[in-house]
Amino acid sequence: MTYFLLAIFIGVSLVINQAAISLILGICFSIIKNKYSLTSIKVNGTSFLKAGIILLGGTISLGSVSEISLNYLPLVSLYVLMIFLVGFLLGRILKVEKKHLILLVAGTAICGGTAIASLAPVIKAKTEALVSSISLVFLLNLLAIILFPLIGQYLGMSEKDFGIFAALTIHDTASVLGTASIYGEESVVYASVIKLGRTLWIIPMILSFSLYFKNKDAEYYFPYFIIFFLAFVLLGTFVDLNQDLLIIIKRITSALFLLGLFFIGAQFNLTTLSKLTIQPIIFAITLWLIIITTTLLIFYV
């Protein structure tokens, strides 16, 4: 029964071919599955989105990646550092527990759940702090996927502008690309390159906190999919891919994004909401709103 229902939901998602709808269908599937105690299905939606990012590289020229990187990576670095600074100051004001605060700031500044999961064992955070932080980031990402395209359309953002906006303000790489895919192909290109620049900050972050907490046994996570993305960029640049093949790659990429967002939505669980405490919620939302407001004031007002 579970797999039959899953096949129907995925089929509808692919036919409608709209990222936000795929996410909502995933949430609906999760609610129905939990309500009727159907067989649990654990599929990592971010894996589909990472595969989509890698394939996307074949449609982007090396020149475009270089230009975007040179123009925006200094800004990305400044953003990451400022989020850490503002986050720690805000956390002290709101009196958020230290390790919980570090997880939330890292997830907001760099790459959401990936940064949180990688950093938790380094700082020896409690399981409750880890689960709460990932749940909060997950919920904020859901809101971003649904609301940000509407904000972009209301403000009349171009595809380029929206890609930059999404890359600078949304937590997870997967959610950034899923949101950008709703807006257009150029939006996805800018969002992917700029967000991958943020993701690379996970390496100095883990090194820094392992030294601070004197954790010599810390395991360092490297986002290897970035290497594959760059390899496909080189492939697309130096190998002449005909137009028909590029269209097929873009269609497969679109399908992977849809599947990724569906399975991210399918991870939604109402019980996680009851476990969240008020201080981290206020902190995470306030920090996120500061970032969103600052970005809009700098670029679009």
Side-chain angles (χ1 to χ4, degrees), residues 51-222:
I53 294 169
I54 292 168
L55 273 182
L56 179 70
T59 67
I60 305 173
S61 70
L62 183 61
S64 297
V65 172
S66 301
E67 182 183 351
I68 296 170
S69 299
L70 289 172
N71 289 337
Y72 293 101
L73 284 189
L75 175 65
V76 167
S77 299
L78 178 62
Y79 248 70
V80 170
L81 295 173
M82 288 303 297
I83 291 170
F84 269 100
L85 176 62
V86 173
F88 285 137
L89 290 174
L90 180 64
R92 292 193 65 179
I93 293 170
L94 295 176
K95 297 180 180 179
V96 180
E97 190 273 327
K98 182 179 178 180
K99 291 183 179 180
H100 202 167
L101 172 63
I102 291 172
L103 293 180
L104 286 171
V105 173
T108 304
I110 298 177
C111 53
T114 302
I116 292 169
S118 301
L119 190 57
V122 174
I123 67 173
K124 297 178 181 178
K126 294 180 180 178
T127 303
E128 294 82 359
L130 171 62
V131 173
S132 172
S133 300
I134 290 179
S135 298
L136 267 173
V137 165
F138 174 75
L139 291 170
L140 294 179
N141 284 330
L142 289 183
L143 286 175
I145 294 169
I146 295 168
L147 297 179
F148 275 30
L150 300 176
I151 293 173
Q153 290 169 3
Y154 178 78
L155 294 175
M157 291 184 190
S158 66
E159 289 190 15
K160 171 185 172 181
D161 289 342
F162 186 78
I164 297 168
F165 173 66
L168 292 175
T169 56
I170 300 176
H171 303 70
D172 279 325
T173 303
S175 300
V176 169
L177 272 294
T179 308
S181 69
I182 299 172
Y183 217 78
E185 290 184 9
E186 186 181 5
S187 178
V188 174
V189 171
Y190 274 86
S192 60
V193 177
I194 294 172
K195 179 57 181 174
L196 293 180
R198 274 177 70 190
T199 302
L200 286 173
W201 270 90
I202 198 170
I203 301 166
M205 176 198 71
I206 292 177
L207 287 171
S208 299
F209 280 107
S210 63
L211 289 172
Y212 180 79
F213 283 91
K214 296 181 174 60
N215 188 350
K216 296 179 181 179
D217 299 322
E219 295 182 5
Y220 304 128
Y221 168 84
F222 183 83

Side-chain angles (χ1 to χ4, degrees), residues 25-47:
L25 285 171
I27 294 172
C28 292
F29 172 76
S30 174
I31 293 171
I32 293 170
K33 178 173 64 67
N34 292 331
K35 182 177 180 180
Y36 293 102
S37 301
L38 300 177
T39 306
S40 179
I41 296 176
K42 293 185 178 180
V43 178
N44 189 350
T46 58
S47 297

